Amino acid sequence: MKKSFFLLSAFILLFASCSDVNEQISFTAMNTYMAVRSYGKGSSAKAANARIKEEIEKLENIISVTKEESDLYKINNSNLQTFTLQPDTAFLLEETKKIYEKTDGALNPALYPVIKEWGFTTENYKIPSEERIRELLSLTDFSKIEISKENLLLIKKTSGMQLDFGAVGKGYAGDLAVKILKESGIKSALLDFGGNIQVLGTKPDGKDWTVGIKNPWGGEPLAAVKLSDSCMITSGGYERFFIGEDGKRYIHIFDGKTGSPVENNLESVTIICKSGLYGDALSTSLFVMGLDKAVDFWRSSGRDFDFVIITKDKEIFYSKNLEDSLTLLFDFAARYPLE
Ligand code: AMP
Ligand code: MG
């Protein structure tokens, strides 16, 4: 009797531990497709997914550049110098300011007036005159903003300055989502926020998640990466660009030193690290830096992230630390593990 009771209890325990429900949700927010797959007990995963959607919609209402009630809309469309901010906006400004300094301006949320002039916000693309670019560049000194902590105030030092979080918003949204999942007791989840991948824990079977790095030239992924408790975020020139009348390709990632789309030998930069905000900021920043500076930056910043860089010559450069988790699926012209 005792033995069968023990067996029954063991069976119930085993069954309970295997019975995590797989819940999926997908929606459009921040101009992108977002999908969450999470595994949890009872209705916990479903409830967490619903909360994620709600919180991301709230975030979008705060940091969108087009929604009139957002903090960024107010900052961008008035000549006031002082604004009272929502905590998310203040946090993003503080964090991006640190990364702006650390990357020597490669990440610069104040480039918005320049990016707009080139038509990347409306898709009415044009190549502005050099004089116009110079004029707009004078508005892009991001060091000229101040955030006062106590009452979350932003002070702009240049009228006409405009900000956007296009380079970091999706990564930050991923961090918020992971926080909600953890608070909800979820131990295993996969997020795809417009190609930004963030995973919580491992797959329910205890194995790492396997995610693909997009092939910039189309077709199947050109590499697979094993991940747990981390994010993998890519910036690529192929994602958004236009061909100018001069036949050149102009991409959506900008160099704040020239006020023009980045022109270098890179096709994509993928960052693998713990924080979505940091990974998103760095994928854009390292793309702007170009190969040599990007690798120097990685070495001098304590290697607190991993990277995969694909060049236009079909070469791959990656941090050697990834060797055990990276599988190459493409016939690269050359492969360079770096340390
Ligand atoms: P991502 O796809 O994360 O690399 O972000 C690119 C988006 O960030 C662009 O569509 C622009 O809205 C904005 N952006 C472009 N260049 C920069 C830059 N150097 N610093 C900050 N934001 C940028
Ligand atoms: Mg980015």
Side-chain angles (χ1 to χ4, degrees):
M1 178 64 192
K2 246 187 182 165
K3 196 175 167 197
S4 64
F5 176 74
F6 175 77
L7 277 174
L8 182 66
S9 313
F11 177 75
I12 289 171
L13 266 177
L14 183 68
F15 185 74
S17 69
C18 296
S19 68
D20 281 358
V21 181
N22 167 8
E23 285 290 348
Q24 306 195 33
I25 193 171
S26 60
F27 53 95
T28 303
M30 306 172 92
N31 297 322
T32 196
Y33 172 81
M34 299 192 161
V36 181
R37 193 198 318 165
S38 54
Y39 297 81
K41 303 265 176 289
S43 59
S44 62
K46 191 170 187 177
N49 289 358
R51 231 187 103 201
I52 288 172
K53 178 170 182 281
E54 204 177 297
E55 290 299 323
I56 287 176
E57 283 165 356
K58 269 194 214 159
L59 176 68
E60 183 177 11
N61 288 334
I62 292 171
I63 64 167
S64 155
V65 282
T66 49
K67 292 187 186 247
E68 292 189 12
E69 68 281 15
S70 84
D71 274 359
L72 286 201
Y73 190 91
K74 286 177 201 151
I75 292 167
N76 293 351
N77 294 282
S78 92
N79 281 327
L80 292 175
Q81 297 297 294
T82 309
F83 300 85
T84 306
L85 303 176
Q86 302 283 339
D88 283 319
T89 317
F91 179 75
L92 280 168
L93 283 169
E94 280 172 340
E95 292 304 305
T96 51
K97 209 173 164 192
K98 281 184 218 157
I99 301 173
Y100 168 82
E101 282 155 15
K102 197 173 163 181
T103 62
D104 191 23
L107 182 85
N108 183 358
L111 286 177
Y112 190 56
V114 175
I115 295 173
K116 224 167 42 172
E117 186 71 14
W118 282 80
F120 277 91
T121 50
T122 55
E123 296 186 7
N124 290 324
Y125 298 113
K126 67 162 192 270
I127 303 172
S129 69
E130 278 181 25
E131 194 191 341
R132 182 73 181 134
I133 291 174
R134 252 198 318 277
E135 197 177 296
L136 291 172
L137 273 179
S138 68
L139 305 173
T140 62
D141 184 353
F142 192 50
S143 65
K144 287 199 170 150
I145 63 151
E146 273 171 25
I147 308 129
S148 126
K149 195 102 191 163
E150 305 77 54
N151 41 6
L152 302 181
L153 271 182
L154 162 78
I155 299 151
K156 276 199 304 184
K157 294 281 178 58
T158 315
S159 67
M161 182 179 250
Q162 298 189 321
L163 309 174
D164 104 285
F165 290 136
V168 295
K170 282 186 280 168
Y172 179 59
D175 290 340
L176 287 188
V178 169
K179 186 163 163 266
I180 291 168
L181 290 165
K182 284 183 178 164
E183 284 168 5
S184 311
I186 308 292
K187 303 253 176 347
S188 173
L190 173 75
L191 316 174
D192 178 349
F193 285 5
N196 281 5
I197 305 292
Q198 281 183 252
V199 301
L200 172 65
T202 60
K203 289 193 289 183
D205 65 5
K207 293 189 180 134
D208 287 340
W209 300 95
T210 305
V211 298
I213 298 180
K214 213 168 176 175
N215 184 335
W217 305 284
E220 296 296 306
L222 46 66
V225 185
K226 287 202 168 92
L227 294 181
S228 64
D229 273 322
S230 51
C231 64
M232 188 181 95
I233 294 177
T234 299
S235 287
Y238 60 88
E239 287 171 333
R240 202 138 41 91
F241 63 87
F242 72 96
I243 307 290
E245 282 171 9
D246 52 5
K248 264 169 58 178
R249 182 170 85 153
Y250 293 98
I251 67 168
H252 69 125
I253 302 171
F254 275 70
D255 183 341
K257 306 245 182 313
T258 63
S260 301
V262 171
E263 286 180 43
N264 62 25
N265 191 33
L266 303 191
E267 203 61 62
S268 73
V269 174
T270 298
I271 303 292
I272 293 141
C273 66
K274 294 290 170 197
S275 146
L277 169 56
Y278 192 52
D280 205 354
L282 289 192
S283 67
T284 311
S285 307
L286 268 64
F287 197 104
V288 175
M289 288 175 195
L291 181 63
D292 293 344
K293 278 197 184 148
V295 174
D296 286 348
F297 177 86
W298 169 70
R299 287 188 177 130
S300 66
S301 63
R303 293 168 166 79
D304 60 353
F305 61 93
D306 283 301
F307 68 87
V308 178
I309 294 179
I310 313 288
T311 69
K312 288 180 179 155
D313 302 325
K314 300 193 165 63
E315 300 160 318
I316 181 168
F317 296 79
Y318 56 92
S319 43
K320 199 158 182 234
N321 191 32
L322 287 175
E323 228 154 33
D324 293 339
S325 50
L326 182 71
T327 308
L328 304 186
L329 306 167
F330 183 78
D331 187 16
F332 289 102
R335 304 160 179 211
Y336 299 100
L338 302 178
E339 40 188 340

